[in-house]
Amino acid sequence: MMSSGHHGLKRQKVGVFSIVGMVYAMTAAGAYGIEDMVSASGPGMTFIMLLVLPLIWAFPIALASCELGSAIPDECGFYRWVQRALGEFWGFQIGWLKNIGLYINVAVFVVLAADYLAGYFGMNKLTAYICKVVIILIFTIINLRGVRDVAIVSTVISVAILVAFAGITVIGFCHIQYNPFEPVVATGSTAVGAIGSSVAIGMWMYAGYESMSALAGEVEDPQIIPKGILIALPLVIGTYVLPTLASVGAIGQWADWGSDGVSYVDVAREFAPVFGVAFMLVAVISNLDLFNVYLASGARGFYVMSDDHLGPEILARTDRKRGVPYVSILMLSIVALVLCLFNFDILVTIVSLFNMGLYSLIMISLIVLRRKEPDLPRPFRIPFGKVGTDIFCAIPIAVAFIALYINGTDYFVLGLAGMVSGPIAYIIAKHVWGGLYKVDAEKYPINPRTKLAVGDTMRLGIAFAILGGLMLIGRVFLPGYEDHAYYAQTYGVSGIFDIFMQVILVLGIVCLAAAAVCAVLYHSLDRVKAAAH
């Protein structure tokens, strides 16, 4: 069943069970990735992180997504939440960070699925790439049929993944022979170092609860999305903790765990060989599940931004029959076809740092909207009162700030450098496409001299000042925290850490200089107009 939505979109009937399946796929799709935490941090620290991060990261993000999604159930919700609370500029920043990350990540899921198959069947590079093309074509067709078909496929796969990990849990607990909590900290590491080694992976594993909001404009009853998130959250935690606990306890070898080392598959192979083959196939379909849902979610980002005249108009086109943004879906599929030719693992980790800025903006938006629109209907409301909610939202912002500095200097440099692209992209988008001024010139006036929205020079200055400040803090903190020799060994370049420090210093100074220029422009060109507005 379909009903009319906004801007050519059509709503389809999707049940709570299907929403749970999609949210589970967007946030977990199995426990893959935790293997690297075990060896990097130590098994004990891994379990501590898996239990602590839900309290200070996953729960706040999930509940904030529920409240904002119930109050503003629009297509590409996270973008609309920030736009409504903080304005066009900051809405663009979250849209840019999320969408660039998705454009890179969707290709990774295809590569991982094809790599599993290539390793098992002994494919050569050409055959493996043909496999990737076939995967992309199949799930592009599913996505072009609409959110209902995406949900059905995702739910079936998610159920299969849950059953497989439940099986691993039972097998592992039936064969426990090692203490899964020892050692707490990886040999040769400190407690702080162990936390730093796993925090980024853990935050990434517990992220994605806002992603379902990207499809809210195509769900007949978008109020079921918060219900789906609340049901999926404990499923995600259980999928991470129980199979890992059982597997480490059964097979040990914690120092050899990793995506290319010992994993859940080895537990199945040793204690239930027939199940081991099936579990390898689950690893494939897990990545297919991720590609399926993030192709759907990722395509809606630039669609909505283009509908706001902050991107090419062609990306805002929808199919008349099914009401899906077919151009955006095809564009993302084409990008995936190109990117899956390359090895860009480091980009994925860099993109994961974008989540720190993204979720900080979501939390700030919730706080602002509680004050700016206190009477806005909120079918789901975080039940902590004004001060309690402020503290609740501030916790993940503080976690993101700390994680930024303990994840690694190389990722810090490249991650913040990537974030600088957001304000620059906004300036280009406003000059080329006009932005919300094209939607409502009276509500969103521009300064004809800057071609930007009134007050944007101040907002740009704030953004550059924040980025510059973060970089200079890193320049002071990182030399005393990081192991300089590690980077020389990793990159094979003597003095590479000092080069990173120089890059951070230069980028920080450039960003602060840009903030000063924006302050001058605001004072000379924008202040009077902003005050009048």
Side-chain angles (χ1 to χ4, degrees), residues 62-138:
L63 295 188
S65 297
C66 287
E67 176 169 323
L68 291 168
S70 71
I72 309 170
D74 294 341
E75 187 81 348
C76 201
F78 56 87
Y79 165 75
R80 293 297 186 199
W81 306 337
V82 176
Q83 185 187 76
R84 185 157 173 170
L86 304 174
E88 180 183 22
F89 172 79
W90 295 107
F92 181 92
Q93 298 310 304
I94 193 172
W96 179 259
L97 292 176
K98 180 74 172 179
N99 295 329
I100 291 299
L102 286 175
Y103 262 63
I104 294 173
N105 277 336
V106 291
V108 173
F109 303 137
V110 177
V111 170
L112 290 174
D115 284 350
Y116 276 118
L117 291 172
Y120 187 77
F121 293 107
M123 299 179 187
N124 58 33
K125 289 185 178 181
L126 176 60
T127 308
Y129 183 69
I130 293 173
C131 179
K132 296 171 188 176
V133 172
V134 172
I135 290 171
I136 292 171
L137 287 176
I138 290 172

Side-chain angles (χ1 to χ4, degrees), residues 282-319:
V282 170
V284 175
I285 66 172
S286 171
N287 284 287
L288 297 181
D289 201 10
L290 286 162
F291 178 69
N292 179 44
V293 293
Y294 276 113
L295 178 58
S297 176
R300 271 64 180 180
F302 281 127
Y303 159 76
V304 174
M305 292 174 70
S306 296
D307 196 54
D308 281 349
H309 302 281
L310 289 168
E313 184 180 342
I314 190 173
L315 294 180
R317 293 183 182 178
T318 54
D319 174 68

Side-chain angles (χ1 to χ4, degrees), residues 305-357:
M305 292 174 70
S306 296
D307 196 54
D308 281 349
H309 302 281
L310 289 168
E313 184 180 342
I314 190 173
L315 294 180
R317 293 183 182 178
T318 54
D319 174 68
R320 291 184 179 180
K321 181 180 179 181
R322 296 189 177 275
V324 298
Y326 70 97
V327 177
S328 289
I329 293 172
L330 291 173
M331 179 64 71
L332 186 48
S333 297
I334 291 169
V335 171
L337 282 170
V338 175
L339 290 182
C340 69
L341 286 167
F342 303 97
N343 183 1
F344 48 96
D345 292 344
I346 190 170
L347 290 179
V348 179
T349 309
I350 294 166
V351 167
S352 71
L353 294 185
F354 290 1
N355 286 341
M356 299 174 189

Side-chain angles (χ1 to χ4, degrees), residues 197-426:
S197 298
S198 61
V199 67
I201 298 174
M203 290 171 71
W204 178 67
M205 297 293 291
Y206 277 122
Y209 293 96
E210 81 295 338
S211 296
M212 188 62 213
S213 71
L215 301 158
E218 297 166 74
V219 176
E220 194 171 85
D221 179 14
Q223 294 301 337
I224 67 174
I225 294 177
K227 296 178 183 177
I229 292 174
L230 294 175
I231 295 171
L233 181 55
L235 288 177
V236 172
I237 298 172
T239 300
Y240 292 165
V241 175
L242 296 178
T244 308
L245 189 68
S247 297
V248 174
I251 204 167
Q253 305 176 59
W254 67 268
D256 297 322
W257 274 63
S259 52
D260 296 323
V262 177
S263 68
Y264 310 100
V265 176
D266 293 284
V267 179
R269 284 174 177 167
E270 181 164 337
F271 301 110
V274 175
F275 187 59
V277 176
F279 200 80
M280 188 281 296
L281 294 176
V282 170
V284 175
I285 66 172
S286 171
N287 284 287
L288 297 181
D289 201 10
L290 286 162
F291 178 69
N292 179 44
V293 293
Y294 276 113
L295 178 58
S297 176
R300 271 64 180 180
F302 281 127
Y303 159 76
V304 174
M305 292 174 70
S306 296
D307 196 54
D308 281 349
H309 302 281
L310 289 168
E313 184 180 342
I314 190 173
L315 294 180
R317 293 183 182 178
T318 54
D319 174 68
R320 291 184 179 180
K321 181 180 179 181
R322 296 189 177 275
V324 298
Y326 70 97
V327 177
S328 289
I329 293 172
L330 291 173
M331 179 64 71
L332 186 48
S333 297
I334 291 169
V335 171
L337 282 170
V338 175
L339 290 182
C340 69
L341 286 167
F342 303 97
N343 183 1
F344 48 96
D345 292 344
I346 190 170
L347 290 179
V348 179
T349 309
I350 294 166
V351 167
S352 71
L353 294 185
F354 290 1
N355 286 341
M356 299 174 189
L358 185 151
Y359 291 122
S360 294
L361 283 173
I362 289 177
M363 294 301 169
I364 292 169
S365 295
L366 191 149
I367 293 171
V368 170
L369 281 172
R370 280 283 187 101
R371 289 160 172 77
K372 185 178 178 181
E373 299 186 52
D375 298 324
L376 178 69
R378 295 171 170 84
F380 177 88
R381 188 182 184 94
I382 297 175
F384 298 143
K386 183 182 291 186
V387 175
T389 301
D390 289 350
I391 296 172
F392 189 66
C393 292
I395 292 173
I397 296 175
V399 171
F401 177 80
I402 294 170
L404 186 65
Y405 294 102
I406 64 175
N407 185 52
T409 297
D410 43 1
Y411 300 136
F412 174 84
V413 174
L414 296 173
L416 281 180
M419 290 184 195
V420 172
S421 68
I424 296 172
Y426 175 78

